[in-house]
């Protein structure tokens, strides 16, 4: 897995998580800017997953390819799912949904790195 890309994804997700949870604490619904920021984060995650999938075809496969594929699918689907749920909930709970999703995303990325590093993929 790409180290700098993973770090950038983790940092962006944590910064957005702090922002979304602050907005939730202030009783504010997600704004258009918040939703656009989630879309940008989702695009960053797509790039990360594409790089990880390209690494699978590069010769270095993780020992547990099924688990790795499951984490890839979960990682790429997590932010868009949170975005849809946040748009359906136009209250402060929409901000909570986005904040929690951005807190879970770094865990998914770190887990992908752990699985990939077992075989040096």
């Amino acid at each position: 897995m790409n180290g700098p890309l993973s770090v950038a994804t983790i940092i962006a997700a944590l910064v957005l998580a702090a922002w979304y949870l602050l907005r939730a604490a202030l009783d504010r619904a997600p704004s258009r800017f918040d939703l656009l920021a989630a879309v940008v984060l989702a695009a960053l995650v797509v790039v990360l997953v594409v790089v990880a999938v390209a690494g699978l075809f590069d010769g270095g496969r993780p020992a547990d390819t099924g688990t790795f594929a499951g984490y890839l699918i979960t990682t790429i689907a997590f932010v868009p799912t949170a975005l849809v749920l946040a748009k359906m909930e136009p209250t402060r709970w929409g901000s909570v949904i986005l904040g929690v999703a951005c807190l879970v995303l770094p865990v998914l990325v770190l887990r992908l790195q752990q699985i990939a590093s077992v075989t040096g993929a």
Side-chain angles (χ1 to χ4, degrees):
M1 295 257 320
N2 189 328
L5 186 57
S6 297
V7 170
T9 304
I10 290 169
I11 290 173
L14 291 175
V15 167
L16 284 176
W19 174 252
Y20 293 140
L21 294 175
L22 174 68
R23 287 187 56 85
L26 296 174
D27 200 23
R28 301 222 174 124
S31 66
R32 286 184 187 257
F33 171 77
D34 296 333
L35 299 176
L36 181 62
V39 169
V40 170
L41 179 64
L44 187 60
V45 169
V46 167
V47 171
L48 178 72
V49 169
V50 167
V51 168
V53 169
L56 285 175
F57 296 111
D58 214 13
R61 290 183 176 237
D64 196 359
T65 308
T67 303
F68 189 72
Y71 273 100
L72 284 175
I73 292 167
T74 302
T75 302
I76 201 166
F78 204 74
V79 175
T81 302
L83 186 60
V84 168
L85 291 173
K87 285 181 75 172
M88 289 173 43
E89 184 61 48
T91 64
R92 75 178 190 151
W93 294 106
S95 294
V96 171
I97 291 168
L98 289 172
V100 170
C102 288
L103 285 176
V104 171
L105 188 63
V107 176
L108 292 171
V109 172
L110 287 173
R111 189 68 185 120
L112 279 171
Q113 285 182 320
Q114 289 173 347
I115 295 170
S117 70
V118 170
T119 59

